[in-house]
Amino acid sequence: MSLWGKAVASPQSRNDGLITAIDIGSSKISALIARADEAGELEVLGSGQRESRGVRRGYIADMEATEAAIREAVEQAETIARTNIDHVWVSFSAGGLVSDVAQVEVDLGGVQIEQSDIDELLRQGRRSLNPDGRMVLHAQPTLYTLDGLNGVKNPLGLHADKLGVEIHVIAAEPSPVRNLALCVRSAHLGVRSIVASPIATGVSCLTEEDREMGIALVEMGAGVTNVSLFAGGLLVGLTSLPMGCADITDDIASAFNIRRAQAERLKCVHGSAQNSPRDNHEMLEIGSPEEVADGAEPPRISRAQLIQVIRLRLDHWMDAVAKALTELGYVGPVGRQVVLTGGGAELRGIADYAQGVLGRSVRIGRPRHMRGLPDAHSGPGFATLVGLAQVAATNPADLRPFAAEQTVHRAQANGLMSRLMTALKSGY
């Protein structure tokens, strides 16, 4: 048995060799079917995407519409892959996520550590996840402690009076998670696991060195922005902001009295986070197709006007991100790098703009390459989907209780998270 504990087997599907990931967002629902080869490399067999018609700010607002969009996205992926699937991995991106650490220790009396001692420690770790109003999404053992010595990766065969383990826990408000699972099951799909979006996106966009040295990940979704900190290989802090790139679309539609679809196209095709002198001379038609068909002179705006509306929203959005980073303790020399991902990171010039506002090095996080991944799904807007498949392929050990009612206590402020951030700051 692995030192990390044996992962409990998932329900068997009709095709165990396949991995199916579903990212349920506020603007789109996307599905991906992949298979791992003998070397562990993932190959995409099929993918699908549908407009998200029942999700608001990451929460399920219309179950019937969400269920239909899930079913259509999966059916599209199944058609391309020429297969049928019955179990999926699902991302969760709504607010209310917390990242904690549970610490467990047992007395050994100085004997040599055997595998049975480690197994018993992990069993106690599972039992230590007590009710506190949240649902556990992840509970993964990280590093062991021997008589107070932290950071031991492999305690097997060593002697110790006390053996401990720190369990990285991510929990969420239970109702949104249950609603998400119910939508998927209503689409006649079994849920293998629900994965916190920052975990999946971090796997996809960040290198192992990024996660070890310390980095901030900002997922700029359509309705929710997740700001996450990684250090020591772990997600050590996160917060969710109820804002996203759909707010920019709404602002454009309202400012120029046009439909949302037209506003979205203007944002994607002509929008930018940076302005230039020539923007005043570039005119854009904003009339509806019906107006053009009637032969009427379509209304026009300058690109500068469009960018002004975008920048007003971006200023508010990025100020909120900067405040979140400060509240999470990502300041000073330690807070030097930020990765932007999600659909909002596809806006032209957003990295340079954010770098100027945040005063930090900023780059765009794109999903790591997977064989067979369509070009349309290789941008930052699909980082969570690709990362979800990669998480599924690794099948990480998890001590998470299986009853939906199980929840977890918040960790104390002097736990692993604080020590990691302190170590990072002192290292610079």
Side-chain angles (χ1 to χ4, degrees):
M1 179 185 287
S2 164
L3 288 177
W4 304 109
K6 184 181 291 183
V8 177
S10 302
Q12 295 296 306
S13 69
R14 291 191 301 264
N15 196 332
D16 282 331
L18 297 180
I19 292 170
T20 303
I22 301 180
D23 180 25
I24 300 176
S26 300
S27 67
K28 68 180 184 302
I29 293 176
S30 49
L32 183 150
I33 301 174
R35 187 196 303 274
D37 61 20
E38 294 179 356
E41 294 277 332
L42 282 177
E43 179 181 8
V44 177
L45 305 180
S47 59
Q49 179 183 333
R50 285 293 183 269
E51 179 185 358
S52 183
R53 299 183 291 268
V55 183
R56 302 287 182 273
R57 302 292 182 193
Y59 294 91
I60 305 298
D62 186 328
M63 186 165 294
E64 187 175 335
T66 304
E67 173 199 327
I70 291 171
R71 191 167 54 247
E72 291 168 8
V74 170
E75 287 175 354
Q76 184 182 12
E78 287 178 323
T79 300
I80 296 172
R82 297 182 179 181
T83 189
N84 293 317
I85 55 96
D86 56 9
H87 283 82
V88 298
W89 293 65
V90 186
S91 67
F92 179 81
S93 60
L97 288 169
V98 294
S99 180
D100 301 321
V101 162
Q103 295 174 302
V104 184
E105 193 172 61
V106 295
D107 289 319
L108 297 181
V111 301
Q112 189 174 30
I113 298 170
E114 299 179 355
Q115 186 62 53
S116 59
D117 299 316
I118 297 172
D119 295 342
E120 176 58 29
L121 177 69
L122 295 179
R123 277 192 291 271
Q124 290 199 26
R126 179 181 289 114
R127 291 194 294 268
S128 74
L129 305 178
N130 298 316
D132 191 33
R134 295 184 186 271
M135 180 182 293
V136 178
L137 294 182
H138 307 277
Q140 297 171 348
T142 56
L143 297 175
Y144 294 88
T145 61
L146 293 180
D147 298 329
L149 175 65
N150 298 312
V152 178
K153 292 184 178 180
N154 186 350
L156 188 64
L158 300 175
H159 290 77
D161 290 315
K162 291 184 177 181
L163 172 66
V165 67
E166 292 174 321
I167 303 168
H168 183 212
V169 178
I170 296 179
E173 298 292 345
S175 294
V177 178
R178 292 191 179 107
N179 290 337
L180 185 71
L182 181 58
C183 279
V184 175
R185 293 188 178 110
S186 297
H188 307 293
L189 296 166
V191 178
R192 283 196 184 274
S193 183
I194 294 178
V195 178
S197 173
I199 292 291
T201 310
V203 168
S204 176
C205 292
L206 305 179
T207 65
E208 186 175 339
E209 184 175 353
D210 286 334
R211 294 193 294 271
E212 284 290 336
M213 297 296 294
I215 201 163
L217 179 67
V218 180
E219 299 172 83
M220 305 174 71
V224 178
T225 298
N226 285 318
V227 181
S228 313
L229 300 187
F230 289 81
L234 300 177
L235 175 65
V236 298
L238 61 90
T239 189
S240 294
L241 307 174
M243 56 185 67
C245 54
D247 295 315
I248 296 178
T249 302
D250 292 342
D251 288 350
I252 296 171
S254 176
F256 304 118
N257 193 27
I258 57 178
R259 299 175 182 174
R260 279 194 95 260
Q262 295 171 268
E264 181 70 16
R265 184 179 183 280
L266 276 176
K267 180 185 74 176
C268 295
V269 177
H270 302 288
S272 176
Q274 301 281 60
N275 46 29
S276 67
R278 65 176 180 274
D279 294 332
N280 290 300
H281 307 289
E282 185 177 345
M283 305 305 294
L284 310 173
E285 292 185 359
I286 62 171
S288 67
E290 291 81 2
E291 290 173 322
V292 175
D294 290 342
E297 183 68 24
R300 296 168 181 255
I301 61 169
S302 69
R303 189 164 182 259
Q305 289 176 286
L306 173 65
I307 293 176
Q308 183 182 24
V309 173
I310 293 173
R311 286 287 293 262
L312 283 173
R313 175 60 65 174
L314 277 180
D315 289 344
H316 174 67
W317 193 0
M318 211 52 62
D319 284 347
V321 169
K323 182 179 179 183
L325 290 171
T326 300
E327 291 175 349
L328 289 170
Y330 199 62
V331 295
V334 69
R336 296 193 297 190
Q337 291 197 47
V338 175
V339 174
L340 303 182
T341 189
E346 296 181 356
L347 181 67
R348 189 180 296 109
I350 187 67
D352 290 339
Y353 167 83
Q355 186 161 306
V357 173
L358 300 177
R360 296 173 169 91
S361 173
V362 176
R363 75 171 193 260
I364 303 299
R366 294 179 173 82
R368 218 169 288 128
H369 176 71
M370 284 173 57
R371 192 165 68 249
L373 185 69
D375 289 341
H377 291 176
S378 61
F382 293 89
T384 301
L385 180 68
V386 173
L388 189 57
Q390 292 167 336
V391 169
T394 63
N395 194 24
D398 206 311
L399 304 180
R400 174 172 53 96
F402 301 103
E405 291 75 19
Q406 293 287 342
T407 46
V408 62
H409 282 306
R410 297 295 302 273
Q412 299 300 314
N414 61 352
L416 175 64
M417 306 306 183
S418 298
R419 295 204 304 275
L420 281 171
M421 293 305 292
T422 301
L424 276 169
K425 292 175 183 177
S426 63
Y428 285 94

